[in-house]
Amino acid sequence: MRRADRLMQILLLLRGRRRTTAQQLAQWLEVSPRTVYRDMADLMASGAPVNGEAGEGYWLEAGFTPPPLSFSAAELSALEVGARMLAAWADHATADAAASALAKIHAVLGSAGLAPAPLFAARHHGYPRERLGGITAAIHARRCLAIDYRDEAGQASCRTLAPLGLFFWGDRWTLAAWCLLRRDYRHFRVDRMQSIQQNDTPWPDGISLDAFLHHADVGEPTRRHLQQQMSQPWHQEYHAWKQD
């Protein structure tokens, strides 16, 4: 990330928060706290309406409105490719939302003249993408799922799962979950689920996606990467809103 872009990102991250520490900013921006301290000193020296100091946290003065966001051609191209991938492999509601958001961005920025990104995602017409929406809703609501499942050997079983996260592997989705039948963490291919239904089984205590990643032994770099994604401030605000 260019330094000018990082300074703008700091202002956006501070907006609407009472106080944000350098450690939080460093985690979100993937830089060292020392870099954040230097950036904050430069922002203050340039007259940006930032208050605070190292060890105390930082905040913006009331009434400050950052300048409008802008995207580079490369950033717009990346968003377009992401929307194509979602259109090919996500559930219909998510795919439609991605396409709508991208259209709004292009319309506001007047970017219709940009060359299309030469990266494409072929649609798998036989994949049961319609199942993803219900699973995603159950994950957000912390609701258990009752599924009829057929494994790789063709063996059928009925399971009750506490769903934790969906993962895409290029040609399939898998669900990370706590299996109440096995009383352990398991993953299940979405295309092998024969039926899916939310039920009222109480959510088990102490389970988490992070514990699943430990159990699956995905490796520390992968686990840190996923943790960083879920620690982004917009995710934290969403979960705080859900708990209110």
Side-chain angles (χ1 to χ4, degrees), residues 173-233:
W173 288 90
T174 60
L175 172 64
W178 173 266
C179 177
L180 279 76
L181 176 65
R182 303 301 184 196
R183 301 188 61 80
D184 204 352
Y185 291 103
R186 293 286 191 272
H187 64 269
F188 300 86
R189 282 181 51 161
V190 171
D191 56 322
R192 291 179 179 161
M193 298 177 183
Q194 308 302 302
S195 67
I196 308 170
Q197 186 174 0
Q198 290 192 22
N199 67 22
D200 295 327
T201 300
W203 189 266
D205 293 330
I207 66 167
S208 68
L209 182 58
D210 189 55
F212 172 90
L213 297 174
H214 270 297
H215 177 271
D217 195 22
V218 299
E220 191 59 25
T222 298
R223 182 170 159 267
R224 282 201 306 269
H225 175 69
L226 292 172
Q227 283 181 324
Q228 194 277 331
Q229 290 182 342
M230 288 306 298
S231 69
Q232 291 294 341

Coordinates of all heavy atoms in Angstrom, one line a residue, residues 173-233:
W173 N -17.2 -25.9 -2.5 CA -17.3 -25.3 -1.1 C -17.3 -26.4 -0.1 O -17.9 -27.4 -0.3 CB -18.6 -24.5 -1.0 CG -18.7 -23.2 -1.8 CD1 -19.1 -23.1 -3.1 CD2 -18.3 -21.9 -1.4 NE1 -19.0 -21.8 -3.5 CE2 -18.5 -21.0 -2.5 CE3 -17.8 -21.4 -0.2 CZ2 -18.3 -19.7 -2.4 CZ3 -17.5 -20.0 -0.1 CH2 -17.8 -19.2 -1.2
T174 N -16.7 -26.1 1.1 CA -16.8 -27.0 2.2 C -17.2 -26.2 3.4 O -16.9 -25.0 3.5 CB -15.4 -27.7 2.6 OG1 -14.4 -26.7 2.9 CG2 -15.0 -28.5 1.4
L175 N -18.0 -26.8 4.3 CA -18.4 -26.2 5.5 C -17.6 -26.7 6.7 O -17.5 -27.9 7.0 CB -19.9 -26.6 5.8 CG -20.5 -26.1 7.1 CD1 -20.5 -24.6 7.3 CD2 -21.9 -26.7 7.3
A176 N -17.0 -25.8 7.4 CA -16.3 -26.1 8.7 C -17.4 -26.1 9.8 O -18.1 -25.1 9.9 CB -15.2 -25.1 9.0
A177 N -17.4 -27.1 10.6 CA -18.5 -27.2 11.6 C -18.1 -28.1 12.8 O -17.1 -28.8 12.7 CB -19.8 -27.8 10.9
W178 N -18.9 -28.0 13.8 CA -18.8 -28.9 14.9 C -19.9 -29.9 14.8 O -21.1 -29.5 14.6 CB -19.0 -28.2 16.3 CG -19.1 -29.1 17.5 CD1 -20.2 -29.5 18.1 CD2 -18.0 -29.6 18.2 NE1 -19.9 -30.3 19.1 CE2 -18.5 -30.4 19.3 CE3 -16.6 -29.5 18.1 CZ2 -17.8 -31.1 20.2 CZ3 -15.8 -30.2 19.1 CH2 -16.4 -30.9 20.1
C179 N -19.5 -31.2 14.7 CA -20.5 -32.3 14.5 C -21.0 -32.8 15.9 O -20.1 -33.3 16.6 CB -19.9 -33.4 13.7 SG -21.0 -34.8 13.4
L180 N -22.2 -32.6 16.1 CA -22.8 -33.1 17.4 C -22.8 -34.6 17.5 O -22.8 -35.2 18.6 CB -24.1 -32.5 17.7 CG -24.1 -31.1 18.2 CD1 -23.8 -30.1 17.2 CD2 -25.5 -30.7 18.9
L181 N -22.9 -35.3 16.4 CA -22.8 -36.8 16.4 C -21.5 -37.3 16.8 O -21.3 -38.2 17.6 CB -23.2 -37.3 15.0 CG -23.1 -38.8 14.8 CD1 -24.2 -39.5 15.7 CD2 -23.3 -39.2 13.4
R182 N -20.4 -36.7 16.2 CA -19.0 -37.2 16.5 C -18.4 -36.4 17.7 O -17.4 -36.8 18.1 CB -18.1 -37.0 15.3 CG -18.6 -37.7 14.0 CD -18.7 -39.2 14.2 NE -19.1 -39.9 13.0 CZ -19.6 -41.1 13.0 NH1 -19.7 -41.8 14.1 NH2 -19.9 -41.7 11.8
R183 N -19.1 -35.3 18.1 CA -18.6 -34.5 19.1 C -17.1 -34.0 18.8 O -16.2 -34.1 19.7 CB -18.6 -35.2 20.5 CG -20.0 -35.6 20.9 CD -20.1 -36.1 22.3 NE -19.7 -35.1 23.3 CZ -20.5 -34.1 23.7 NH1 -21.7 -34.0 23.3 NH2 -20.0 -33.2 24.6
D184 N -17.0 -33.5 17.6 CA -15.7 -33.1 17.2 C -15.8 -32.2 16.0 O -16.9 -32.1 15.4 CB -14.8 -34.3 16.8 CG -13.3 -34.1 16.9 OD1 -12.9 -32.9 17.1 OD2 -12.5 -35.0 16.7
Y185 N -14.7 -31.5 15.6 CA -14.7 -30.6 14.4 C -14.6 -31.5 13.2 O -13.8 -32.4 13.1 CB -13.6 -29.6 14.5 CG -13.8 -28.6 15.6 CD1 -13.0 -28.7 16.8 CD2 -14.6 -27.5 15.4 CE1 -13.2 -27.7 17.8 CE2 -14.8 -26.6 16.4 CZ -14.1 -26.7 17.6 OH -14.3 -25.7 18.6
R186 N -15.4 -31.1 12.2 CA -15.4 -31.8 10.9 C -15.6 -30.8 9.8 O -16.1 -29.7 10.0 CB -16.5 -32.9 10.8 CG -16.4 -34.0 11.8 CD -15.3 -35.0 11.3 NE -15.3 -36.2 12.0 CZ -14.6 -36.5 13.1 NH1 -13.9 -35.4 13.7 NH2 -14.6 -37.6 13.7
H187 N -15.3 -31.2 8.6 CA -15.7 -30.4 7.4 C -16.5 -31.3 6.5 O -16.3 -32.5 6.4 CB -14.4 -29.8 6.7 CG -13.5 -30.8 6.1 ND1 -12.5 -31.4 6.8 CD2 -13.5 -31.4 4.9 CE1 -11.9 -32.3 6.0 NE2 -12.5 -32.3 4.8
F188 N -17.4 -30.6 5.8 CA -18.4 -31.3 4.9 C -18.5 -30.6 3.6 O -18.6 -29.4 3.5 CB -19.8 -31.3 5.6 CG -19.8 -32.0 6.9 CD1 -19.5 -31.3 8.1 CD2 -20.2 -33.3 7.0 CE1 -19.5 -31.9 9.3 CE2 -20.2 -34.0 8.2 CZ -19.9 -33.3 9.4
R189 N -18.5 -31.4 2.5 CA -18.6 -30.8 1.2 C -20.1 -30.4 1.0 O -21.0 -31.2 1.2 CB -18.2 -31.8 0.1 CG -16.7 -31.8 0.0 CD -16.2 -32.7 -1.1 NE -16.8 -32.5 -2.4 CZ -16.3 -33.0 -3.6 NH1 -15.2 -33.6 -3.6 NH2 -17.0 -32.8 -4.7
V190 N -20.3 -29.2 0.5 CA -21.7 -28.7 0.3 C -22.4 -29.5 -0.7 O -23.6 -29.8 -0.6 CB -21.7 -27.2 0.0 CG1 -23.1 -26.7 -0.4 CG2 -21.2 -26.4 1.2
D191 N -21.7 -29.9 -1.8 CA -22.3 -30.6 -2.9 C -22.7 -32.1 -2.5 O -23.4 -32.7 -3.3 CB -21.4 -30.6 -4.1 CG -20.1 -31.2 -3.9 OD1 -19.5 -31.0 -2.8 OD2 -19.5 -31.9 -4.7
R192 N -22.3 -32.6 -1.3 CA -22.6 -33.9 -0.9 C -23.8 -33.9 0.2 O -24.2 -34.9 0.7 CB -21.4 -34.6 -0.3 CG -20.4 -35.0 -1.4 CD -19.2 -35.7 -0.8 NE -18.2 -36.0 -1.8 CZ -17.0 -36.3 -1.6 NH1 -16.5 -36.2 -0.4 NH2 -16.2 -36.6 -2.6
M193 N -24.2 -32.7 0.5 CA -25.4 -32.5 1.4 C -26.6 -32.8 0.6 O -26.9 -32.1 -0.4 CB -25.4 -31.2 2.0 CG -24.2 -30.9 2.9 SD -24.2 -29.2 3.5 CE -22.6 -29.1 4.4
Q194 N -27.4 -33.8 1.0 CA -28.7 -34.1 0.3 C -29.8 -33.2 0.8 O -30.7 -33.0 0.0 CB -29.0 -35.6 0.6 CG -27.8 -36.6 0.3 CD -27.3 -36.4 -1.1 OE1 -28.1 -36.6 -2.1 NE2 -26.1 -36.1 -1.3
S195 N -29.8 -32.8 2.0 CA -30.9 -31.9 2.5 C -30.2 -31.1 3.7 O -29.3 -31.6 4.4 CB -32.1 -32.7 3.0 OG -31.8 -33.4 4.1
I196 N -30.8 -29.9 3.9 CA -30.2 -29.0 4.9 C -31.4 -28.3 5.5 O -32.3 -27.8 4.8 CB -29.3 -27.9 4.3 CG1 -28.2 -28.6 3.5 CG2 -28.7 -27.1 5.4 CD1 -27.4 -27.6 2.7
Q197 N -31.5 -28.2 6.9 CA -32.6 -27.6 7.5 C -32.1 -27.0 8.9 O -31.4 -27.7 9.6 CB -33.7 -28.5 7.8 CG -35.0 -27.8 8.3 CD -36.1 -28.8 8.4 OE1 -36.0 -30.0 8.0 NE2 -37.3 -28.3 8.9
Q198 N -32.4 -25.8 9.2 CA -32.1 -25.3 10.5 C -33.0 -25.9 11.6 O -34.1 -26.3 11.3 CB -32.3 -23.7 10.6 CG -31.3 -22.9 9.8 CD -31.4 -21.4 10.1 OE1 -31.9 -21.0 11.1 NE2 -30.9 -20.6 9.2
N199 N -32.4 -26.1 12.8 CA -33.2 -26.7 13.8 C -32.9 -25.9 15.1 O -32.1 -25.0 15.2 CB -33.0 -28.2 14.0 CG -31.6 -28.6 14.4 OD1 -30.9 -27.8 15.0 ND2 -31.2 -29.8 14.1
D200 N -33.6 -26.3 16.2 CA -33.5 -25.6 17.5 C -32.5 -26.3 18.5 O -32.5 -26.0 19.7 CB -34.8 -25.5 18.1 CG -35.8 -24.7 17.3 OD1 -35.3 -23.7 16.7 OD2 -37.0 -25.0 17.3
T201 N -31.6 -27.1 18.0 CA -30.6 -27.7 18.9 C -29.7 -26.6 19.5 O -29.3 -25.7 18.8 CB -29.7 -28.6 18.1 OG1 -30.5 -29.7 17.5 CG2 -28.6 -29.3 19.0
P202 N -29.5 -26.6 20.8 CA -28.7 -25.5 21.5 C -27.3 -25.5 20.9 O -26.7 -26.5 20.6 CB -28.7 -25.9 22.9 CG -29.9 -26.8 23.1 CD -30.1 -27.5 21.8
W203 N -26.8 -24.3 20.7 CA -25.5 -24.1 20.2 C -24.5 -24.6 21.2 O -24.5 -24.2 22.4 CB -25.3 -22.6 19.9 CG -24.0 -22.3 19.2 CD1 -22.8 -21.9 19.8 CD2 -23.8 -22.3 17.8 NE1 -21.9 -21.7 18.8 CE2 -22.4 -21.9 17.6 CE3 -24.6 -22.6 16.7 CZ2 -21.9 -21.9 16.3 CZ3 -24.0 -22.5 15.4 CH2 -22.7 -22.1 15.2
P204 N -23.5 -25.4 20.9 CA -22.6 -26.0 21.8 C -21.7 -24.9 22.4 O -21.3 -23.9 21.7 CB -21.8 -27.0 21.0 CG -22.6 -27.2 19.8 CD -23.4 -26.0 19.5
D205 N -21.3 -25.0 23.6 CA -20.4 -24.1 24.3 C -18.9 -24.3 23.8 O -18.5 -25.4 23.6 CB -20.4 -24.3 25.8 CG -21.8 -23.9 26.4 OD1 -22.4 -23.0 25.8 OD2 -22.2 -24.4 27.4
G206 N -18.2 -23.2 23.7 CA -16.8 -23.3 23.6 C -16.2 -23.6 22.2 O -15.0 -23.7 22.0
I207 N -17.1 -23.7 21.2 CA -16.6 -24.0 19.8 C -16.3 -22.7 19.1 O -16.9 -21.6 19.4 CB -17.6 -24.9 19.0 CG1 -18.9 -24.1 18.8 CG2 -17.9 -26.1 19.8 CD1 -19.8 -24.8 17.7
S208 N -15.4 -22.7 18.1 CA -15.1 -21.5 17.3 C -14.4 -21.9 16.1 O -13.9 -23.0 15.9 CB -14.2 -20.6 18.1 OG -12.9 -21.2 18.3
L209 N -14.4 -21.0 15.1 CA -13.7 -21.3 13.9 C -12.2 -21.4 14.1 O -11.5 -22.2 13.5 CB -14.0 -20.1 12.9 CG -13.3 -20.3 11.5 CD1 -13.8 -21.6 10.8 CD2 -13.7 -19.1 10.6
D210 N -11.7 -20.6 15.0 CA -10.2 -20.6 15.3 C -9.9 -22.0 15.9 O -8.8 -22.6 15.5 CB -9.9 -19.6 16.3 CG -8.4 -19.5 16.5 OD1 -7.6 -19.3 15.5 OD2 -7.9 -19.6 17.7
A211 N -10.7 -22.6 16.8 CA -10.5 -23.9 17.3 C -10.6 -25.0 16.2 O -9.8 -25.9 16.2 CB -11.5 -24.2 18.4
F212 N -11.5 -24.8 15.2 CA -11.5 -25.7 14.1 C -10.2 -25.6 13.3 O -9.7 -26.7 12.9 CB -12.7 -25.3 13.1 CG -12.7 -26.0 11.8 CD1 -13.3 -27.2 11.7 CD2 -12.0 -25.6 10.7 CE1 -13.3 -28.0 10.5 CE2 -11.9 -26.3 9.5 CZ -12.6 -27.5 9.4
L213 N -9.6 -24.4 13.1 CA -8.4 -24.3 12.3 C -7.2 -25.0 13.1 O -6.4 -25.6 12.5 CB -8.1 -22.8 12.1 CG -9.1 -22.1 11.2 CD1 -8.8 -20.6 11.2 CD2 -9.2 -22.7 9.8
H214 N -7.2 -24.9 14.4 CA -6.2 -25.6 15.2 C -6.4 -27.1 15.0 O -5.4 -27.8 14.8 CB -6.4 -25.3 16.7 CG -5.6 -24.1 17.2 ND1 -4.2 -24.1 17.2 CD2 -6.0 -22.9 17.7 CE1 -3.8 -22.9 17.6 NE2 -4.9 -22.2 17.9
H215 N -7.6 -27.6 15.1 CA -7.9 -29.0 14.9 C -7.5 -29.5 13.6 O -6.9 -30.6 13.4 CB -9.4 -29.3 15.2 CG -9.8 -30.7 15.0 ND1 -10.2 -31.2 13.8 CD2 -9.9 -31.7 15.9 CE1 -10.5 -32.5 13.9 NE2 -10.3 -32.8 15.2
A216 N -7.8 -28.7 12.5 CA -7.5 -29.1 11.1 C -6.0 -28.9 10.8 O -5.5 -29.4 9.8 CB -8.3 -28.2 10.2
D217 N -5.2 -28.3 11.7 CA -3.8 -28.2 11.5 C -3.5 -27.5 10.2 O -2.7 -28.0 9.4 CB -3.1 -29.5 11.6 CG -1.5 -29.4 11.8 OD1 -1.1 -28.3 12.2 OD2 -0.8 -30.3 11.5
V218 N -4.1 -26.4 9.9 CA -3.9 -25.7 8.6 C -2.6 -25.0 8.5 O -2.2 -24.5 7.4 CB -5.1 -24.6 8.4 CG1 -6.4 -25.3 8.4 CG2 -5.0 -23.6 9.5
G219 N -1.9 -24.9 9.6 CA -0.6 -24.1 9.6 C -0.8 -22.7 10.2 O -1.8 -22.1 9.9
E220 N 0.2 -22.3 10.9 CA 0.1 -21.0 11.5 C 0.0 -19.8 10.5 O -0.8 -18.9 10.8 CB 1.4 -20.8 12.4 CG 1.3 -19.6 13.4 CD 0.1 -19.7 14.3 OE1 -0.4 -20.8 14.6 OE2 -0.4 -18.6 14.8
P221 N 0.7 -19.8 9.4 CA 0.5 -18.7 8.5 C -1.0 -18.5 8.0 O -1.5 -17.4 7.9 CB 1.5 -19.0 7.3 CG 2.5 -19.8 7.9 CD 1.8 -20.7 9.0
T222 N -1.6 -19.7 7.6 CA -2.9 -19.7 7.2 C -3.9 -19.2 8.3 O -4.8 -18.4 8.1 CB -3.4 -21.1 6.7 OG1 -2.6 -21.4 5.5 CG2 -4.8 -21.1 6.2
R223 N -3.7 -19.7 9.5 CA -4.5 -19.4 10.6 C -4.4 -17.9 10.9 O -5.4 -17.2 11.1 CB -4.1 -20.2 11.8 CG -5.0 -19.9 13.0 CD -4.7 -20.9 14.1 NE -5.1 -20.4 15.4 CZ -4.3 -19.7 16.2 NH1 -3.0 -19.5 15.9 NH2 -4.7 -19.2 17.4
R224 N -3.2 -17.3 10.9 CA -3.0 -15.9 11.1 C -3.7 -15.1 10.0 O -4.3 -14.0 10.3 CB -1.5 -15.5 11.2 CG -0.8 -15.9 12.5 CD 0.5 -15.1 12.7 NE 1.3 -15.2 11.5 CZ 2.3 -16.1 11.4 NH1 2.5 -17.0 12.4 NH2 3.1 -16.2 10.4
H225 N -3.6 -15.5 8.8 CA -4.2 -14.8 7.7 C -5.7 -14.7 7.9 O -6.3 -13.7 7.7 CB -3.9 -15.5 6.4 CG -4.6 -14.9 5.2 ND1 -4.3 -13.7 4.7 CD2 -5.6 -15.4 4.4 CE1 -5.1 -13.4 3.6 NE2 -5.9 -14.4 3.5
L226 N -6.4 -15.9 8.2 CA -7.8 -15.9 8.5 C -8.2 -15.0 9.7 O -9.2 -14.3 9.7 CB -8.3 -17.3 8.6 CG -8.2 -18.2 7.3 CD1 -8.5 -19.6 7.7 CD2 -9.1 -17.6 6.3
Q227 N -7.4 -15.1 10.7 CA -7.6 -14.3 11.9 C -7.6 -12.8 11.5 O -8.4 -12.0 12.0 CB -6.6 -14.6 13.0 CG -6.9 -15.9 13.8 CD -5.9 -16.1 14.9 OE1 -4.7 -15.7 14.7 NE2 -6.3 -16.6 16.0
Q228 N -6.6 -12.4 10.7 CA -6.5 -11.0 10.3 C -7.7 -10.6 9.5 O -8.2 -9.4 9.7 CB -5.2 -10.8 9.5 CG -4.8 -9.4 9.3 CD -5.5 -8.7 8.1 OE1 -5.9 -9.3 7.2 NE2 -5.7 -7.4 8.3
Q229 N -8.2 -11.4 8.6 CA -9.4 -11.1 7.9 C -10.6 -10.8 8.8 O -11.4 -9.9 8.6 CB -9.8 -12.2 6.9 CG -8.8 -12.3 5.8 CD -9.2 -13.5 4.8 OE1 -10.0 -14.3 5.1 NE2 -8.7 -13.4 3.6
M230 N -10.8 -11.7 9.8 CA -11.9 -11.5 10.7 C -11.7 -10.4 11.8 O -12.7 -10.1 12.5 CB -12.2 -12.9 11.4 CG -12.8 -13.9 10.5 SD -14.3 -13.3 9.7 CE -15.4 -13.0 11.0
S231 N -10.5 -9.9 11.9 CA -10.3 -8.8 12.9 C -10.4 -7.5 12.2 O -10.2 -6.4 12.9 CB -8.9 -9.0 13.5 OG -7.8 -8.7 12.5
Q232 N -10.7 -7.4 10.9 CA -10.9 -6.1 10.3 C -12.0 -5.3 11.0 O -13.0 -5.9 11.4 CB -11.3 -6.3 8.8 CG -10.1 -6.8 8.0 CD -8.9 -5.8 7.9 OE1 -9.1 -4.6 8.1 NE2 -7.8 -6.3 7.5
P233 N -11.9 -4.0 11.1 CA -12.9 -3.2 11.9 C -14.3 -3.4 11.4 O -15.2 -3.3 12.2 CB -12.4 -1.8 11.7 CG -11.4 -1.8 10.6 CD -10.8 -3.2 10.5

